[in-house]
Amino acid sequence: MPVVLPLIGAGLALAMARHPRVQGVVSVSVLTIVLGISVALLVMVDSGPMVLDVGGWAAPVGISLVVDRLAALMLVVSVTVTLAVLVYSLAQGVADGDEGAPLAVYHPTFLVLSAGVSNTFVTGDLFNLYVGFEILLAASFVLITLGGTRDRIRSGTIYVVVSLISSVIFLVAIALIYAATGTVNLAQLAVRLPEIDPNMQLILQLMLLVAFGIKAAVFPLSAWLPDSYPIAPAPVTAVFAGLLTKVGVYAIIRTQVLLFPDGRLDDLLKVVALATMVIGILGAVAQEDIKRLLSFTLVSHIGFMIWGISLSTEAGLSAAIFYVAHHITVQTALFLVAGLIERRGGTTSLVRLGSLARVAPLLAVLFFVPAMNLGGIPPMSGFLGKAGLIEASAQDGAGLSYALIVGGLVTSLLTLYAIAKTWNMAFWQEAPEPLPDTDTPSGMVGPAAGLVVFSLLLAVLAGPLYDYTDHASRDLRARVPYIVSVLPEHGRGTGQSPEVTEEGRRGEPESQSTSGEDR
C-alpha cells in the first residue's frame, strides 16, 4: 500500500490538473493514509518481517515486498517528512499564487517520488530496487527543474547525468550478479553469493558500493550534491536533502549486511566515512550561503551513517539506523527553515542577511533548535546518535575506529562553528540593508515547526527508539529472520506458483488450465 496508494493518487491528481485545490486534497489525503499504514506496519513487524509476493508468484520467481523493522522505521520517518513538505509547499503555493509550486505536474510527480522512495525501502528484489531508483530519478528531474530557469536546468542536468552513471553501474552489477547466481531475489542472494568465487564477490560488492555511494553522496562521489540541491525550490530541496541521500544509505545497509556479511570492505568504508565527515564539514565552513552550507553539512553527516555501517557490529548498525532517522528529520526541517529565511530576508546569502532574531524571533527559534541538534548538543537526538557511534567504536577497539571517533568529534565541533557563524551573520548582526517587508505564512511555518517538534520527540523517545533500532540491527545481522520470511518453504516463498508447478507436474488438465489463468 505505501507504494500503490501514491501511484493511484498521482493518477487522480493528474486527472485533476485543472483543479489545483483538489490536487492538494488528494495528495494530502493519500500521504496521510500512507502514514497511518506505515505506523501500523511499524507495530505489526514487531513479531517478524512481513512479506507480500506480488501477483501471488512465490519468491524467488516473483517479486517480493518485505517490511522488517528497518523498512518500517524508514517508511514512517520518510512519509512523515514528505507529508510535512507537501503541506509546506501547498501553503507556499497559496501565498505566492502558485509561483512556488506552479505546475499541474507538481502533485503527481511528488506522489510518484513518494512511491519510489517507499518502493526502495520495501523491495526484496535487487532489480526492483533498481526500478525504484529509476522512478526516483524521473520524478526528481521534474521536481528539480520546476520553473525551467537556466540554473535549475543546469543543476537538474548535473543531477541526472550523475544519477545515470550510478544507474549504469548498478545495472551492470545486477547483470553480473544474475550471471553468477541465477537470481536477483535478496533472500536467495544471501544464500548463494557466499558460494561464488571470493574475488568475484569482492568485485560485485565494490560495484554496489560505488552505485549506492553516488546516491548517498559519500566522498569522493559527492561533488554533484552542493551544486544541485540549493538551486531547486525550497520544498523540493528539503525533501531531496532529507530523503534521497538516505535511500542510498538504506541500500548500502541492506546489501552490505544481508549480502556481504563478512565485512571485507569495512576498512575501506571506515576511510570513506572519515573523509566524508571531515571534507564535507570543511566545505560547509567555507560557505557564505545558507543552502550551500546546509548541503555541505548534509554530505558531512552522511559520513556518520557510513561510520556505523563500517563497524559491522550490532551496536554500530543500531546507532547508524538511529542517526538516519534523526538526520532525515533535522536536515529536512533546516531546509524548510532556510526557505522561510529566504522568504523573510529576500536571500540566503549570509553577507546580505542580518537582524532576523529581532524581526522574526519565531524563525530564529525554528533555526536554532534543529541547528543545535545537528551539531550534537546534549540531550538532543544528534548527540545521542553520535554517542552511540562513539560507544560502538570504542567497543570495536581498532585503530581506524578510534580515528573515526576523533574525526566525528572534530566534525561535530566544526558543525557547531558553521552553525554559530550562520546564526551570528543571519540572526544577530545588523543587516547591511533593510530587509524586505514580507511575511512568513503560518501555513509554511506550521509544517517546519512540526518537524522541529518531531525531531525533539526523537530525543524524548530515544530510549524506546534505541531499543527498536537494537532489535532491527540484531535481525539484520542475524539475516535468518529475513531469509526465512521470504523463503519459508524449502527455498521458495508461499505464493501460488509452487502449487501451480506441482499441479502441472501431475498433469492435471483442470489444474493446468487454472495455472495458465493464474499466471
Side-chain angles (χ1 to χ4, degrees), residues 219 222 274-285 293 295-301 411:
F219 183 83
S222 57
L274 183 60
T276 303
M277 285 191 295
V278 175
I279 295 176
I281 200 60
L282 289 176
V285 168
L293 185 149
S295 296
F296 275 100
T297 62
L298 168 62
V299 171
S300 172
H301 285 248
T411 301

Side-chain angles (χ1 to χ4, degrees), residues 195-470:
E195 299 172 355
I196 68 174
D197 180 73
N199 292 329
M200 190 63 197
Q201 281 185 50
L202 193 61
I203 292 172
L204 297 174
Q205 187 177 5
L206 271 172
M207 291 183 72
L208 291 180
L209 269 181
V210 171
F212 300 147
I214 292 175
K215 296 188 182 299
V218 299
F219 183 83
L221 308 172
S222 57
W224 59 274
L225 192 148
D227 285 333
S228 299
Y229 283 8
I231 304 299
V236 175
T237 305
V239 77
F240 278 23
L243 284 182
L244 297 195
T245 50
K246 310 310 181 299
V247 171
V249 173
Y250 171 85
I252 292 175
I253 292 175
R254 181 66 74 190
T255 55
Q256 293 302 305
V257 178
L258 182 64
L259 305 185
F260 307 100
D262 55 0
R264 295 171 68 187
L265 295 179
D266 284 351
D267 286 346
L268 174 63
L269 280 175
K270 287 174 181 172
V271 173
V272 168
L274 183 60
T276 303
M277 285 191 295
V278 175
I279 295 176
I281 200 60
L282 289 176
V285 168
Q287 302 306 310
E288 293 187 339
D289 180 276
I290 295 177
K291 284 185 175 180
R292 284 187 62 83
L293 185 149
L294 291 177
S295 296
F296 275 100
T297 62
L298 168 62
V299 171
S300 172
H301 285 248
I302 293 295
F304 284 95
M305 303 165 211
I306 304 301
W307 172 4
I309 300 169
S310 70
L311 295 175
S312 281
T313 62
E314 289 182 6
L317 193 56
S318 174
I321 297 170
F322 183 94
Y323 206 87
V324 171
H326 143 78
H327 196 257
I328 288 176
T329 310
V330 168
Q331 198 74 43
T332 307
L334 281 171
F335 271 102
L336 289 183
V337 174
L340 294 173
I341 291 173
E342 184 174 22
R343 185 179 187 84
R344 183 63 185 87
T347 180
T348 53
S349 170
L350 292 173
V351 177
R352 295 165 57 191
L353 282 171
S355 308
L356 283 174
R358 177 171 51 81
V359 301
L362 178 58
L363 193 56
V365 173
L366 292 180
F367 178 83
F368 183 79
V369 173
M372 291 296 103
N373 202 344
L374 185 70
I377 295 297
M380 296 180 175
S381 55
F383 167 77
L384 298 172
K386 289 167 184 168
L389 289 168
I390 291 172
E391 183 179 359
S393 271
Q395 291 172 355
D396 185 60
L400 276 174
S401 296
Y402 284 112
L404 280 167
I405 293 175
V406 174
L409 293 174
V410 171
T411 301
S412 297
L413 291 174
L414 289 176
T415 301
L416 286 173
Y417 171 76
I419 293 300
K421 168 186 165 185
T422 305
W423 177 264
N424 284 332
M425 296 182 73
F427 292 90
W428 276 127
Q429 294 181 4
E430 284 297 318
E433 297 178 1
L435 299 177
D437 187 18
T438 55
D439 61 347
T440 48
S442 57
M444 296 173 66
V445 174
L451 276 185
V452 173
V453 172
F454 186 73
S455 69
L456 294 176
L457 277 177
L458 291 182
V460 174
L461 302 175
L465 181 57
Y466 247 123
D467 285 342
Y468 187 91
T469 59
D470 284 344

